[in-house]
Amino acid sequence: MSSEQHAPSAGEYITHHLQHLQKNFAFESVKQKDIVDFSLYNLDSLVFATVLGFLGVFLLWLGVRKATSGVPGRFQAAVEILFEMVDNQSKSVINNAKSRAFVGPLALTVFVWIFLMNFMDMIPVDTLPQAWHVAGPALGFSDYLRVVPTADLSTTLGMSTFVLLLCIYYSIKIKGLGGWGHELIAAPFGNHWALWPFNFLMQMIEFLAKTVSHGMRLFGNMFAGELVFMLIALMGGAFAMTVTGWGMAFGHVVAGTIWTLFHILVIVLQAFIFMMLTLIYIGQAHDHH
């Protein structure tokens, strides 16, 4: 986009903003052509997710470090409210106290991390990409940049896959390898040898469905939100190009304000839903059938 001499059309604008900064494992700039391609990765999502993950952990550490037994400040009160909320949800889903000692803090970290990644959608859509159009090529990178990691399916499916691995781990830890193996072939239809293949197939379908839906739900909501912000930005661009398009300017301000206020609820809700499903799925791994 930065090398073009003409103003981009609406289609070109959206296409450019939906393209990730992609690299292969030789660190060469590439563009994904297939729906699934494990030979490359989205560098922008990886960098932003990592930085925001460290930021989330730092904020939680800061809240603990500044905790006092007296009247808490606003930041400490916010951290305590968040911790109590997650802790109560964890206790209601997972009965094993030893498991909660790890899963509770994990759920809290997941909530904060996803909220921070979602919150990147609140930054004006052209702010960071416009700066990258200059900085990126100067550093030897292409000028593509997407700043919302949760609007990237590889990020959300990666997180949901990690939850699946935790579920398998706790299934084996709580029930034993033999007990979990027996459950795979004995549930949900019953422990009869003729039903073992059907039971195993249903278990595999359940694992796959939970993992895919867990990641797709977060991705779908954040991708849609990102796309709406791009469409609203185009309204402002139309006004800037026509000068007389006051209706576009008014619509840009009104639509942007309304969607931003609504999206604040969305980014919090999606972080909470992902966290709750993480607790529920790990809690189910503790249940015996």
Side-chain angles (χ1 to χ4, degrees):
M1 178 182 288
S2 61
S3 62
E4 295 176 357
Q5 300 300 319
H6 62 87
S9 65
E12 290 172 336
Y13 175 85
I14 292 177
T15 300
H16 183 88
H17 278 65
L18 290 180
Q19 173 63 41
H20 283 281
L21 175 61
Q22 296 179 322
K23 296 283 186 180
N24 60 20
F25 290 95
F27 209 66
E28 299 169 334
S29 295
V30 292
K31 290 182 82 171
Q32 184 173 344
K33 297 180 180 179
D34 301 320
I35 295 177
V36 179
D37 189 347
F38 293 106
S39 67
L40 55 86
Y41 57 93
N42 298 332
L43 180 62
D44 44 11
S45 294
L46 184 62
V47 170
F48 280 110
T50 302
V51 171
L52 293 170
F54 280 112
L55 176 61
V57 172
F58 173 75
L59 291 175
L60 292 174
W61 172 82
L62 195 63
V64 173
R65 183 173 178 270
K66 291 189 174 183
T68 62
S69 58
V71 178
R74 294 180 180 178
F75 181 67
Q76 181 184 337
V79 173
E80 288 179 355
I81 291 172
L82 184 59
F83 174 82
E84 185 176 355
M85 182 269 291
V86 176
D87 187 55
N88 289 337
Q89 296 296 335
S90 177
K91 289 178 179 178
S92 67
V93 176
I94 302 175
N95 296 323
N96 190 301
K98 290 184 178 179
S99 296
R100 285 201 308 270
F102 173 78
V103 177
L106 171 69
L108 178 61
T109 305
V110 164
F111 178 85
V112 173
W113 189 22
I114 292 179
F115 171 78
L116 291 174
M117 290 191 288
N118 291 351
F119 192 80
M120 295 297 291
D121 212 10
M122 307 302 292
I123 299 174
V125 67
D126 283 312
T127 302
L128 294 178
Q130 190 61 42
W132 185 251
H133 289 166
V134 178
L139 295 172
F141 294 91
S142 59
D143 63 347
Y144 297 114
L145 186 71
R146 291 183 68 182
V147 302
V148 187
T150 45
D152 179 4
L153 186 58
S154 61
T155 301
T156 58
L157 281 183
M159 296 176 72
S160 64
T161 301
F162 178 73
V163 174
L164 171 64
L165 295 177
L166 279 177
C167 291
I168 295 175
Y169 167 77
Y170 278 108
S171 293
I172 297 174
K173 180 180 179 181
I174 299 299
K175 306 164 190 175
L177 183 60
W180 182 58
H182 180 265
E183 183 178 279
L184 290 178
I185 61 174
F189 299 125
N191 187 22
H192 189 281
W193 65 268
L195 298 175
W196 290 352
F198 302 101
N199 287 328
F200 183 78
L201 178 61
M202 288 299 297
Q203 291 278 359
M204 294 302 103
I205 292 175
E206 180 182 355
F207 283 133
L208 179 63
K210 289 195 298 187
T211 302
V212 173
S213 63
H214 197 189
M216 285 290 292
R217 181 182 290 103
L218 176 60
F219 159 75
N221 280 277
M222 297 314 301
F223 181 86
E226 184 184 36
L227 189 57
V228 170
F229 275 123
M230 291 179 190
L231 295 175
I232 293 173
L234 284 173
M235 296 174 66
F239 164 70
M241 287 187 292
T242 62
V243 181
T244 57
W246 294 104
M248 284 292 187
F250 180 76
H252 173 75
V253 173
V254 173
T257 301
I258 293 175
W259 184 249
T260 298
L261 294 174
F262 174 73
H263 206 58
I264 292 173
L265 174 63
V266 172
I267 64 177
V268 176
L269 184 61
Q270 289 306 312
F272 178 78
I273 290 174
F274 195 97
M275 178 205 73
M276 280 304 304
L277 288 176
T278 299
L279 289 174
I280 290 171
Y281 292 157
I282 295 178
Q284 289 176 344
H286 287 69
D287 297 335
H288 292 272
H289 296 282

